[in-house]
Amino acid sequence: MRLVFSVLFLWLLPLLVTAQSRAIVVVCLANNAAPITLDLWRQSVFGVELHCIDARFIRGLTPCAPDSGYGLSEFSTGRLQRVTNSEAEAFGNVGGITYMRIAPLTIEFWGGQGTGDGDAPVRDWTYTVDRVSGVALLQHEGTRTVYTCGVVR
């Protein structure tokens, strides 16, 4: 019953957040892997709501971005310096790039390091949550890890 509620809740997240205007935290677990946390619909100093992913394997960037947009991190510190919906601006960044999108059936994140040459960065990792089943897939360093996700608040 709890799994059904969590899956239904993931599906209804946009409507609930609009109605309640509050952030949501999703925790994802896998066998023999560190948990991954999604912090969704957080207010930010950039004037837009940010969606962040917290995982041990992410390095060299602050993994937050607006929906269907990019979070751009400084090369030297990894600190989030600005956000954009422009692919050209994102791919011109020297430093970490995080992309995030909430689609009707999925929540997607990916991250990489931009060289500033305008080309898409090589993705260091991708993470996709199926909003219907609550199952997520991490692709990192040539391996795939399956997670099960649920809303904690």
Side-chain angles (χ1 to χ4, degrees):
M1 179 67 180
R2 184 177 176 133
L3 178 62
V4 171
F5 178 74
S6 292
V7 170
L8 179 61
F9 201 73
L10 281 170
W11 180 259
L12 296 174
L13 280 177
L15 296 175
L16 292 171
V17 170
T18 301
Q20 297 178 3
S21 187
R22 62 175 251 227
I24 300 293
V25 175
V26 177
V27 174
C28 303
L29 304 172
N31 291 333
N32 302 319
I36 293 176
T37 303
L38 306 180
D39 195 0
L40 307 173
W41 289 284
R42 288 283 177 185
Q43 294 299 317
S44 74
V45 298
F46 300 103
V48 296
E49 292 177 319
L50 292 182
H51 310 283
C52 303
I53 180 172
D54 182 23
R56 286 188 189 166
F57 63 86
I58 299 173
R59 302 202 192 303
L61 57 83
T62 302
C64 298
D67 185 17
S68 298
Y70 302 87
L72 308 179
S73 299
E74 293 178 349
F75 176 74
S76 59
T77 65
R79 186 179 49 194
L80 189 63
Q81 61 182 353
R82 65 186 189 279
V83 297
T84 184
N85 288 333
S86 165
E87 185 176 272
E89 183 180 350
F91 295 173
N93 184 58
V94 176
I97 299 173
T98 303
Y99 176 78
M100 166 324 131
R101 182 173 83 109
I102 299 175
L105 299 177
T106 60
I107 299 172
E108 305 168 31
F109 283 89
W110 63 259
Q113 293 292 320
T115 59
D117 61 6
D119 291 335
V122 173
R123 295 180 186 185
D124 294 333
W125 53 269
T126 61
Y127 190 73
T128 305
V129 179
D130 182 308
R131 294 175 64 190
V132 176
S133 68
V135 173
L137 177 64
L138 168 65
Q139 296 180 65
H140 177 248
E141 295 182 341
T143 62
R144 295 176 179 209
T145 307
V146 176
Y147 286 77
T148 302
C149 302
V151 174
V152 294
R153 71 174 163 97

